[in-house]
Amino acid sequence: MGKMNDNSASAMEIDDEKSEVSTQINPKFSINVLQLLKSAQMQHGLRHGDYTRYRRYCTARLRRLYKSLKFTHGRAKYTRRAITESTVTEVRFLHLVLYTAERAWSHAMEKRQLPDGPNARQRIYLIGRLRKAVKWAALFAQLCAVKGDSRTSLEAEAYANYMKGTLLFEQDQNWDTALHHFRNARAVYEELGKYSDLDNQVLCRERVEELEPSIRYCLHKVGESKIQTSELLDISKIEGPGLDLFRAKLEAVMAEARSQQAASMTEFCWLGHRFPISNAKTRVSILKAQELEKDLNGSAADSLPAEKRLGIFDKIFAAYHEARSCIRKDLNSAGNAETMKDNLNGLDKAVSAIIVQRTIERNQLLVTIAKSKFNKHRDDKGEKITKPEELVRLYDLLIQNTTDLSDLVSSGRDRKPEEEAFSEEYALKGLAFRAERCFCLAKSYSLAGKRAEAYALYCHARTLADNAIQKLQSVADSDMVLMQELKLLERNCRSDSCIEHAAAIMEEKMAPEKLSKGISTISLTGAEKKVGNFLLDKLDLYESAVGNSSTKEVPRIEAFPPAFQPAPRNPIVLDITFNLIEFPSLENRMKKDKKGFISRLWG
């Protein structure tokens, strides 16, 4: 028995030695795939959705890897060199495969982001690039399963599943298989997020959130989910490079639904007018703008941040400008058809008026943002304080917009009651904007210390606000929000004018005292600096010259500019005797001209 135990122990030792030797011969490589890709994507274009820049980075990275590994494909003639398990002798060979897949994927996404979308030929090329990305991702997973450690193998498998799901997602087919691949990738990232360090946990959680919309969309297409289109639109607002394909797919679906809905839209109603729309592109653009307007005026509009609302306004302007360009193209090709020309002119006028109206709303939003920053304390760090001049400029734009809108609406021959009421409403808004502008201008003069001008402007702003309130009260259906704003403005004008009046009286009373104090401190040698106040005068004392961080004091290092000091200079010599000196005559020493015989005759 003892002999058998010795033999088994020696056999186990031999096996251990063999495993150690095999590990040394075939080392396991480790790649943090998600962290590597996320860092490269964020640093090289995908932070801003620039897939062209990221593709060029992948190409340059591959060129450097091929050259450093001496794995080029020949000089004169291209000779393909395959990457197999025996080829992978270091981790950079795995990087080669990974960045090749990334280059193909980014090229496909670049084609997806074309302005008008990929056409049929470009779509075939896009799907071909995605197939290439799936092929290289599968090879990467296969090589990592043999040459990588367990974590690298899992991440590579999740990456390959994500690429396969992306290809099927773009092809609009095999939604069950796409759902299976996306779920596999999500399960891997959820598990990896539990046992890694903090940075990797955050990255895995972000990738799970990016995969969630694609999974829900696949469930929606399979029929296992009752998710509505509005919920899909909410999901598409999540940011991330992994969601670009989902957003493009959803936008294509919405454009198709919009075109189907536009087929039933035959006319456009505006202020009592009905204008027929014959162009399909015009209908689709107007419908897109109206859907975006619902996002601004819906129940969830108040919870939207200001940046999101400004972005929605930009999309609305783009849609209406596209509709107006289509209308004007139809107007140029209308020929001599007077009825069609009248309808197109009326439609152009209506769309232009709506553009100006949305511009006014956008500028009002900018005023709200600027006012919120204007009212903040100056102690708030990292926050830019709005100056009154900026508000004056915004109100100038609003006054110009209301004038343009009133002129545009009143330019027709047969005006309807709705147009007259609309024009009066914006005329009142223009009067309110003038009062607000005058108030902000008074604030600007007040901060500059010009009390008399500020007092006069506050009084004028109060008069304008009172006139606007009286006109609003005479209107049947007055805007109560505007009424409250004008009443608040009138109270602010009254209180600020009293403050300016009191400040002017106090400054006038204190003017003689300030003048006498200023004259008493005048010195012919310049400003006398106080000894001990500056750092250079008290270097022997351990006392701060920077001041308290809570109070915005100027650091007192040395007096600048320095005071004037008398300095010696060279004496000035004035030569005043030069003009009185009588110099001797030099004619006898001057050379005389010798004349010839002929010159003496003719003198």
Side-chain angles (χ1 to χ4, degrees), residues 460-474:
H460 185 57
R462 183 180 176 186
T463 304
L464 290 174
D466 289 337
N467 292 338
I469 290 171
Q470 291 175 6
K471 289 184 179 180
L472 270 175
Q473 289 173 347
S474 63

Side-chain angles (χ1 to χ4, degrees), residues 109 219 236 267 269 424 479 496 555:
M109 297 303 295
L219 286 171
S236 68
E267 57 185 12
C269 301
E424 290 177 2
D479 189 353
D496 287 348

Side-chain angles (χ1 to χ4, degrees), residues 224-368:
E224 297 181 10
S225 174
K226 296 181 180 179
I227 186 170
Q228 301 295 323
T229 307
S230 59
E231 296 180 36
L232 288 174
L233 287 173
D234 294 336
I235 295 171
S236 68
K237 295 174 184 176
I238 304 172
E239 298 294 332
L243 291 170
D244 289 335
L245 185 62
F246 172 74
R247 279 194 289 270
K249 178 69 65 180
L250 191 59
E251 183 62 31
V253 172
M254 294 302 296
E256 184 180 353
R258 208 177 287 128
S259 60
Q260 293 175 359
Q261 187 181 356
S264 60
M265 180 182 180
T266 57
E267 57 185 12
F268 181 70
C269 301
W270 178 74
L271 296 181
H273 294 281
R274 291 179 177 272
F275 304 108
I277 307 175
S278 57
N279 193 331
K281 287 186 178 179
T282 307
R283 290 198 294 262
V284 170
S285 299
I286 291 175
L287 274 175
K288 182 179 179 180
Q290 289 176 348
E291 288 176 2
L292 291 167
E293 286 171 352
K294 289 178 184 176
D295 294 339
L296 282 178
N297 302 322
S299 57
D302 295 335
S303 60
L304 284 175
E307 290 78 10
K308 291 280 186 183
R309 297 180 70 185
L310 290 173
I312 294 173
F313 271 117
D314 293 338
K315 293 178 182 178
I316 290 172
F317 292 142
Y320 274 126
H321 281 300
E322 186 179 355
R324 190 168 64 177
S325 65
C326 293
I327 293 167
R328 290 179 178 176
K329 285 180 184 177
D330 293 341
L331 194 58
N332 292 331
S333 60
N336 297 325
E338 294 298 330
T339 306
M340 184 181 291
K341 277 189 172 182
D342 290 342
N343 290 331
L344 289 172
N345 280 321
L347 186 59
D348 182 45
K349 173 184 171 181
V351 171
S352 300
I354 291 174
I355 289 173
V356 180
Q357 191 177 353
R358 298 295 170 263
T359 305
I360 291 172
E361 293 174 3
R362 182 181 181 276
N363 288 337
Q364 284 181 295
L365 177 61
L366 291 174
V367 166
T368 305

Side-chain angles (χ1 to χ4, degrees), residues 475-515:
V475 178
D477 297 328
S478 59
D479 189 353
M480 298 306 298
V481 177
L482 184 60
M483 178 76 76
Q484 294 297 327
E485 290 177 356
L486 286 171
K487 288 181 178 179
L488 178 62
L489 177 65
E490 192 267 340
R491 289 196 295 269
N492 289 337
C493 288
R494 183 174 57 186
S495 60
D496 287 348
S497 62
C498 295
I499 292 171
E500 288 299 320
H501 193 192
I505 293 173
M506 288 174 62
E507 288 179 0
E508 187 178 359
K509 294 289 186 184
M510 294 173 65
E513 183 181 350
K514 284 185 178 180
L515 184 61

Side-chain angles (χ1 to χ4, degrees), residues 56-76:
R56 289 173 180 167
Y57 163 74
C58 291
T59 304
R61 177 73 176 145
L62 284 171
R63 190 182 300 115
R64 291 194 297 270
L65 285 171
Y66 277 120
K67 199 168 183 179
S68 63
L69 289 169
K70 298 181 181 178
F71 197 71
T72 54
H73 301 283
R75 288 188 176 180

